[in-house]
Amino acid sequence: MFDPTIYDNIKVVLEGAVYDYDLEGRIIITRREDRIDLSSMSRTFAIEFARSADKPSRAEIYLHVHLSDLAAEILENPNAKPGCTLLIKFYASINEPDRDCPKIDAGLSAIWAHRPQITQQLSYTYGQPEKTYRNQITLSFGRKVDESQLDDFPDLITHALESLIWLDERKE
């Protein structure tokens, strides 16, 4: 009989919670990914959403598990602490990195109570007349997650939505 892994259980809870927000009309899901990487025997789930189709910012909940964690759980290794990597990513556009990135860092840090590590990665298309930067903002919690954190996921999604609202409504 199939015994779901930590990854499977977390994925189902996260996916259900995000779809609940979609059904309530609070967000729209813009992309969903569920991959098994056969070269590394890892699994990845990502679900991306926005407040609405006309809003510029997007959020992504990203869940990943490595082979070592899957194997430790399936083989019931008593010396291992299996779990998954959970990241929250935001995608926004900015015009002035030296001004906008510190504001984004401060705003998101306030929303998330200074818990996750926030990194921002910028890119732009060379040769475009107006330089608009694409900003990928990644929130990393610095630890593996497992079923003991399932009760935190509704708050996590609420914070992600609050972050989207803040990103969409921030003043340039």
Side-chain angles (χ1 to χ4, degrees):
M1 175 147 184
F2 174 72
D3 187 20
T5 63
I6 293 168
Y7 171 87
D8 293 312
N9 290 331
I10 291 174
K11 183 186 102 162
V12 166
V13 171
L14 282 173
E15 188 174 27
V18 173
Y19 273 100
D20 284 347
Y21 272 56
D22 184 71
L23 287 171
E24 293 167 3
R26 298 170 74 183
I27 62 168
I28 60 164
I29 294 172
T30 56
R31 187 177 61 80
R32 182 183 174 283
E33 181 179 309
D34 195 352
R35 284 190 326 214
I36 298 173
D37 185 334
L38 295 176
S39 64
S40 65
M41 297 305 291
S42 62
R43 295 183 65 187
T44 301
F45 172 74
I47 190 161
E48 183 185 86
F49 54 93
R51 291 172 53 210
S52 65
D54 63 333
K55 298 294 182 186
S57 302
R58 301 281 183 265
E60 176 183 308
I61 298 176
Y62 175 92
L63 182 68
H64 182 81
V65 65
H66 294 278
L67 172 62
S68 58
D69 287 301
L70 286 169
E73 180 180 6
I74 292 167
L75 298 174
E76 298 178 6
N77 181 344
N79 299 320
K81 177 89 170 95
C84 303
T85 300
L86 179 70
L87 302 173
I88 308 296
K89 299 179 183 181
F90 298 99
Y91 302 93
S93 294
I94 63 172
N95 296 316
E96 294 183 39
D98 291 336
R99 177 197 67 194
D100 297 336
C101 288
K103 284 183 181 179
I104 289 170
D105 190 77
L108 293 180
S109 289
I111 291 169
W112 291 86
H114 304 281
R115 285 188 310 246
Q117 176 187 357
I118 299 172
T119 57
Q120 298 181 61
Q121 183 176 358
L122 304 176
S123 63
Y124 68 94
T125 304
Y126 175 76
Q128 293 295 322
E130 288 191 34
K131 195 180 277 187
T132 299
Y133 295 86
R134 287 176 298 281
N135 190 357
Q136 178 183 303
I137 307 148
T138 302
L139 280 60
S140 173
F141 298 92
R143 60 182 165 84
K144 293 179 191 177
V145 296
D146 59 29
E147 288 110 329
S148 68
Q149 285 100 19
L150 289 178
D151 290 339
D152 297 338
F153 293 161
D155 288 339
L156 181 130
I157 296 167
T158 299
H159 281 62
L161 180 56
E162 290 171 3
S163 299
L164 273 181
I165 293 167
W166 186 87
L167 286 166
D168 284 338
E169 295 179 357
R170 68 189 158 86
K171 302 294 183 216
E172 293 292 324

